[in-house]
Amino acid sequence: LSPAARGDLECDLLARLSRLAGRVLFAEFSLLRQRRQGGFALLFSPGHGQIPDDLYREFTTRLRGERLLEFLAEYPALARLLALTTLFWTEEHAEMLARLATDWPDITGFFPDRRPGDEIASVEPSLSDPHNHGRTVCVLTFASGWKLVYKPRDLGVEVAFSRLLAWLNDRRAPVPFRPIQMLNRATHGWVEHFGAAPCADVSGARRFHERAGALLCLLYVLDATDCHHGNVLAHDDHPMLIDLETLLHPFRGPESVPAGFGANLRAQ
C-alpha cells in the first residue's frame, strides 16, 4: 500500500465511525452551546445559526483528551459499536490484502490487460452494501493506472451469467453482449474494472437501448431482482450489470409464480 492508499482506508474508517457517532456528538455539542450561550442568546444573537470557532475547538480538544473516556462511559452502546466497527474494518482490509497476495500469480495470468506496477496507489472502499461484519466491494488502483475490483463474496452466479452472455454471443444472438472477466475464488473474487462512458454517437445510443431491452428480457427469464440504476453501469453502448447477487431469485411457491412466459418456462 502506498501512503495515499493507506490514507484512503483511514478516511473510510473515519467515515464509518462518524456515521455511528455523529448524532451523539452533535447532541453533546448542542448541550455545551446551550450551557455556555443560553437559549435566548442562541435564538436572538446576530450570528444565529453559526457555531463559534472557539467553542467548537474547545469541544473537540476536550474530546480528544480527558473527555473521551468519560464520553464513552456515558454512551457504552456507542462505545461498543465503535470498537466492533474498528475491529471488523481491520479484519476486512487485512483479509483483502492477504487474499491479494495469495491470488496475485493467478491475477497476473488471468487479466491480459494487467500492466506492471505492483504498488497499490489508491483504494476506493465501501462501494457496496456492507455484509458479513461490514465487508464491502472496493476498487484497487495500481501504480501503472490499472484498476481491479475486489468483491468479498462468491462470484459463482456472476461467472455463470457472464458465461451465458458468451454462449449467446457464440450463437449469434441478435444483440451481442459484453461478458465481464472475473476470477472467482469461492469466498471472494476479482473483477475487471470499467468506468462509465457515454455513447460515441446516435447509433451507439440506439444499440445501448437495444441491449438494455435484451438484458431486461434475459433478466425476466432468470427471475432477477434488484437491477436498479446503482447496479447498472453505462459503458459506451453496453449496459453493464455489476451486481447480480439476486439472480435466480427464489419464489415462495406455486401461488407466487407469475403468469405468462416465465410460468410456462418453469412448467417445461
Side-chain angles (χ1 to χ4, degrees):
L1 288 174
S2 67
R6 292 191 184 96
D8 293 336
L9 294 180
E10 290 173 358
C11 287
D12 178 62
L13 176 59
L14 177 61
R16 296 187 189 190
L17 298 180
S18 297
R19 283 192 293 269
L20 290 172
R23 291 187 178 183
V24 177
L25 291 171
F26 181 75
E28 285 289 306
F29 181 67
S30 298
L31 290 174
L32 176 63
R33 289 182 65 195
Q34 189 173 21
R35 288 195 298 268
R36 293 294 179 84
Q37 295 179 286
F40 186 84
L42 287 174
L43 283 176
F44 298 103
S45 62
H48 172 60
Q50 297 180 2
I51 299 176
D53 291 343
D54 55 345
L55 191 58
Y56 180 77
R57 283 194 296 268
E58 177 188 345
F59 176 76
T60 54
T61 299
R62 289 188 60 214
L63 198 61
R64 290 196 302 266
E66 72 279 359
R67 169 68 177 134
L68 179 59
L69 291 179
E70 179 184 343
F71 171 79
L72 295 177
E74 189 174 352
Y75 297 96
L78 175 62
R80 177 175 173 79
L81 284 175
L82 295 175
L84 286 175
T85 298
T86 304
L87 174 64
F88 294 154
W89 176 89
T90 304
E91 292 178 348
E92 172 191 359
H93 293 99
E95 179 182 76
M96 183 268 291
L97 292 172
R99 288 172 170 177
L100 178 64
T102 301
D103 297 340
W104 187 248
D106 294 331
I107 290 173
T108 55
F110 184 81
F111 294 99
D113 58 343
R114 190 198 70 82
R115 296 186 295 274
D118 294 344
E119 185 179 53
I120 300 175
S122 64
V123 182
E124 297 176 66
S126 298
L127 296 180
S128 68
D129 295 331
H131 298 288
N132 189 18
H133 292 169
R135 287 166 171 78
T136 60
V137 174
C138 68
V139 173
L140 308 177
T141 302
F142 295 86
S144 63
W146 181 64
K147 293 187 177 184
L148 184 65
V149 181
Y150 166 73
K151 293 190 175 184
R153 57 177 172 79
D154 181 21
L155 303 182
V157 172
E158 294 177 75
V159 170
F161 183 77
S162 186
R163 289 175 178 172
L164 174 61
L165 296 183
W167 183 85
L168 291 171
N169 290 342
D170 291 340
R171 280 147 186 81
R172 298 182 179 180
V175 181
F177 300 101
R178 185 189 185 283
I180 300 176
Q181 299 296 318
M182 56 190 75
L183 180 63
N184 190 26
R185 283 294 179 263
T187 57
H188 63 283
W190 308 95
V191 184
E192 69 168 313
H193 178 272
F194 46 86
C199 296
D201 48 34
V202 175
S203 60
R206 185 178 296 110
R207 290 192 300 272
F208 177 91
H209 287 92
E210 289 175 351
R211 287 192 177 95
L215 277 176
L216 182 61
C217 177
L218 188 58
L219 293 173
Y220 175 78
V221 172
L222 296 175
D223 275 328
T225 62
D226 201 37
C227 296
H228 53 78
H229 71 284
N231 290 335
V232 181
L233 183 67
H235 179 71
D236 193 13
D237 56 0
H238 288 271
M240 307 294 292
L241 292 167
I242 58 176
D243 189 354
L244 289 168
E245 287 181 300
T246 56
L247 198 66
L248 301 174
H249 194 73
F251 54 90
R252 293 185 300 275
E255 73 281 355
S256 65
V257 177
F261 177 73
N264 294 334
L265 184 67
R266 292 192 191 90
Q268 294 174 8

